[in-house]
Amino acid sequence: MRTLCASTLIGEFFVIGFAGLVAMQMTELSPATIWTVSGIAMLLSLLLCGMLTRPGGVQLGWALQAALIAGGFVVPTMFFLGAVFAALWWASVHFGRKIDAAKARWAVQSEAADEPAGKPA
């Protein structure tokens, strides 16, 4: 799960940065405001890459997805891009957990196959 989610978060890092550039051209917000908000979101996306296995990491990722969608009020394209990344986040979490479970089953089966036959474990 960690690899898939981290890949999604790195993609979001770049999208947030580009959205900040677009927001500078489309709104009357000051550049300081735009880059403070964008910078915090970009930093959060990078920090979340390391927090995915900790409690609350996935939930913070969902909060970032909601913030990306809400960015559509400043840059309307972010409604679409935020929804796309929310779908990618869901897929990363959902299929990542399935892959992790399959890897765990495979590891157990591999250990069982490596034990000598007829000897108790």
Side-chain angles (χ1 to χ4, degrees), residues 7 11 14 36 45 48-49 80 94 96 100:
S7 298
F14 290 106
T36 299
S45 70
L48 277 173
C49 289
F80 172 73
H94 178 74
D100 289 347

Side-chain angles (χ1 to χ4, degrees), residues 34-113:
I34 291 169
W35 289 113
T36 299
V37 173
S38 295
I40 290 170
M42 291 170 75
L43 180 63
L44 180 60
S45 70
L46 289 180
L47 292 175
L48 277 173
C49 289
M51 295 176 53
L52 289 169
T53 56
R54 296 182 183 207
V58 173
Q59 288 77 13
L60 283 173
W62 280 114
L64 182 62
Q65 305 315 309
L68 262 145
I69 293 170
F73 290 109
V74 178
V75 178
T77 306
M78 288 306 294
F79 284 125
F80 172 73
L81 289 174
V84 168
F85 273 99
L88 286 172
W89 183 253
W90 175 85
S92 297
V93 171
H94 178 74
F95 293 112
R97 286 181 176 158
K98 284 188 173 190
I99 291 169
D100 289 347
K103 282 182 180 179
R105 281 193 309 273
W106 182 78
V108 168
Q109 290 172 353
S110 177
E111 282 182 18

Side-chain angles (χ1 to χ4, degrees), residues 18-31:
F18 291 132
L21 292 171
V22 171
M24 287 181 59
Q25 302 299 316
M26 292 183 64
T27 67
E28 288 78 33
L29 295 172
S30 72

